[in-house]
Amino acid sequence: MIFPLVHGPFGEDGVVQGHFETLGVPYVGAGVLSSAICMDKGIAKSVLHDHGVPVGAWELLGRPDLNDEALEGAAAHLGFPIFVKPANLGSSIGVSKAADAESLRSAVSLAFTFDDFVILEAFIAGRELELALLGNEEVRVSTAGEIQASRDFYDYEDKYILGMAKTIVPAELTPAQVAGAQEVALRAYRALRVEGLARVDLFMVGPDRFVINEVNTMPGFTPISMYPMLWDVGGLPLPALIDELLDLALARHARRRGLRTHR
């Protein structure tokens, strides 16, 4: 049994999961396809959009697409400010908030030092919520937590160095708002074929509209991590949570081994 608490490329992008599949070893978390899709922000947004799950406006650029015309078109479509991110990375590494055409070019150039594809996202004014999901065929969804950044946006320094961002668990929401967030988070989990666990990050826009930001298939398990906090406040402490994740991994492994591979 493997619990791959590894983040970023080679950890949560399907690469190491493929190795586990080849070895025939049970492991915690999403499978190869789901891990790869969720890691690539552009592909994930396309899948969610195709399934009718609300996402913000975005554009995806590959290296061959990069030119002044493409950047001008993205700016006209998305409007400023624009968030620029490497498509396949995490922890807000390589992420910038561009306020004008000049800073957009610099942000895109920086993002391309981390990946061959870059995603440009429209700014969404709303509260940043996170929910924890747990399960294979049957999925449980936690209450929502809220992140309040101490800087212009929740960047790497704010997450891991400054220690000034506020993590509010549970978020101050009405029961109807919690239910709305849970419904959208579960739809995203299903559309992206996640199993085991995920943390779904979304924006609450107005009193009752929710927009998916991204889905993390191997969320953090540190003392400041939202995923275990959300389950703990819901009555599932960390030891019991780990037990359940291991049981889910074994159950999925047994189910997959029982599938027919030939006529």
Side-chain angles (χ1 to χ4, degrees), residues 31-104:
V32 175
L33 177 64
S34 179
S35 297
I37 290 173
C38 291
M39 185 68 177
D40 190 303
K41 297 175 179 65
I43 300 299
K45 285 182 182 293
S46 294
V47 172
L48 291 172
H49 181 266
D50 287 348
H51 281 77
V53 181
V55 293
W58 85 97
E59 296 221 2
L60 187 68
L61 294 178
R63 291 191 190 278
D65 307 320
L66 181 58
N67 54 52
D68 288 342
E69 184 179 354
L71 293 181
E72 291 169 4
H77 173 214
L78 303 174
F80 289 108
I82 296 173
F83 280 97
V84 181
K85 307 174 181 179
N88 291 274
L89 209 57
S91 297
S92 297
I93 296 172
V95 175
S96 305
K97 184 179 180 182
D100 51 37
E102 182 177 352
S103 58
L104 178 61

Side-chain angles (χ1 to χ4, degrees), residues 152-172:
D152 190 33
F153 68 95
Y154 195 40
D155 60 8
Y156 183 89
E157 286 75 17
D158 208 15
K159 289 180 178 180
Y160 302 111
I161 297 174
L162 299 177
M164 295 175 64
K166 292 183 180 179
T167 302
I168 302 169
V169 180
E172 296 182 5

Side-chain angles (χ1 to χ4, degrees), residues 16-259:
V16 76
Q17 287 79 9
H19 184 55
F20 302 151
E21 293 282 357
T22 302
L23 294 175
V25 177
Y27 59 94
V28 172
V32 175
L33 177 64
S34 179
S35 297
I37 290 173
C38 291
M39 185 68 177
D40 190 303
K41 297 175 179 65
I43 300 299
K45 285 182 182 293
S46 294
V47 172
L48 291 172
H49 181 266
D50 287 348
H51 281 77
V53 181
V55 293
W58 85 97
E59 296 221 2
L60 187 68
L61 294 178
R63 291 191 190 278
D65 307 320
L66 181 58
N67 54 52
D68 288 342
E69 184 179 354
L71 293 181
E72 291 169 4
H77 173 214
L78 303 174
F80 289 108
I82 296 173
F83 280 97
V84 181
K85 307 174 181 179
N88 291 274
L89 209 57
S91 297
S92 297
I93 296 172
V95 175
S96 305
K97 184 179 180 182
D100 51 37
E102 182 177 352
S103 58
L104 178 61
R105 290 188 183 90
S106 298
V108 169
S109 295
L110 172 64
F112 269 123
T113 66
F114 292 98
D115 193 20
D116 289 327
F117 290 88
V118 168
I119 188 166
L120 284 66
E121 298 176 343
F123 172 73
I124 298 174
R127 296 169 64 181
E128 294 190 46
L129 304 180
E130 299 184 352
L131 293 90
L133 287 84
L134 179 68
N136 295 338
E137 291 92 346
E138 297 181 6
V139 182
R140 294 154 63 189
V141 186
S142 75
T143 189
E146 183 172 3
I147 297 293
Q148 294 182 352
S150 69
R151 291 157 67 93
D152 190 33
F153 68 95
Y154 195 40
D155 60 8
Y156 183 89
E157 286 75 17
D158 208 15
K159 289 180 178 180
Y160 302 111
I161 297 174
L162 299 177
M164 295 175 64
K166 292 183 180 179
T167 302
I168 302 169
V169 180
E172 296 182 5
L173 301 170
T174 67
Q177 289 170 334
V178 172
Q182 291 172 327
E183 187 266 338
V184 172
L186 180 58
R187 287 170 59 197
Y189 193 89
R190 292 297 196 198
L192 295 167
R193 299 190 186 181
V194 184
E195 289 189 292
L197 75 162
R199 192 192 73 236
V200 177
D201 303 345
L202 48 79
F203 297 106
M204 179 177 169
V205 184
D208 58 4
R209 179 170 171 254
F210 302 92
V211 177
I212 297 293
N213 181 18
E214 59 184 67
V215 176
N216 294 271
T217 55
M218 188 51 69
F221 278 82
T222 71
I224 64 168
S225 297
M226 184 76 85
Y227 188 86
M229 285 186 196
L230 288 167
W231 286 121
D232 188 64
V233 78
L236 188 66
L238 184 60
L241 173 60
I242 299 299
D243 285 345
E244 190 158 341
L245 287 168
L246 298 177
D247 288 341
L248 288 167
L250 288 171
R252 183 188 62 183
H253 184 69
R255 187 193 76 221
R256 297 285 297 171
R257 285 178 66 88
L259 296 175

